Amino acid sequence: MFGFAVVAMAPALIISRMISPRKRSNPVKFLPMECGQVPSGEGRTHFMMQYYPYILMFVIFDVMAIFLYAWGSALLELPKSATLPMIGFLAIMFGAMAFALYQSGRRNIW
């Protein structure tokens, strides 16, 4: 597998090296930019952990919506025994949702 990866990536690396520009005609062109502007300040900032529970809730609802849509669109063709695993899935997802809501109430972790 590693050999295949090397063989597959070698042409891409060699071709990009061959067609890349060699000289630096304009030093401003090669500066790191932020949306076309010269960056200012530090590159690393403090991440606000107060939004962490809401990120968790979004991920939970996102995954839940994907699986519920697939389950709901095939509901009439599924056997009745497929309902129990879906209830288990919803229990796990609502447990994660309850944990995210619990985390949003804990202000001492921020």
Side-chain angles (χ1 to χ4, degrees):
M1 186 64 88
F2 179 74
F4 176 74
V6 170
V7 169
M9 289 304 301
L13 293 173
I14 292 170
I15 292 171
S16 68
R17 181 64 67 165
M18 288 174 19
I19 63 174
S20 66
R22 295 283 181 229
K23 63 178 185 159
R24 292 184 172 230
S25 59
N26 188 356
V28 177
K29 183 177 180 180
F30 294 100
L31 286 175
M33 297 286 178
E34 293 178 355
C35 298
Q37 302 294 321
V38 177
S40 62
E42 289 191 36
R44 295 187 179 265
T45 60
H46 179 71
F47 179 69
M48 299 293 292
M49 287 301 292
Q50 68 189 24
Y51 300 116
Y52 178 71
Y54 304 109
I55 295 168
L56 280 178
M57 286 187 254
F58 170 75
V59 170
I60 291 165
F61 276 128
D62 194 35
V63 170
M64 197 183 308
I66 291 168
F67 286 111
L68 282 176
Y69 181 77
W71 178 66
S73 64
L75 185 60
L76 298 177
E77 290 84 26
L78 290 175
K80 296 292 183 199
S81 62
T83 304
L84 188 61
M86 197 61 198
I87 290 173
F89 170 73
L90 287 175
I92 292 170
M93 286 289 126
F94 282 121
M97 186 69 178
F99 176 72
L101 287 173
Y102 169 72
Q103 289 285 54
S104 68
R106 292 180 56 203
R107 295 294 179 205
N108 58 348
I109 64 171
W110 318 126

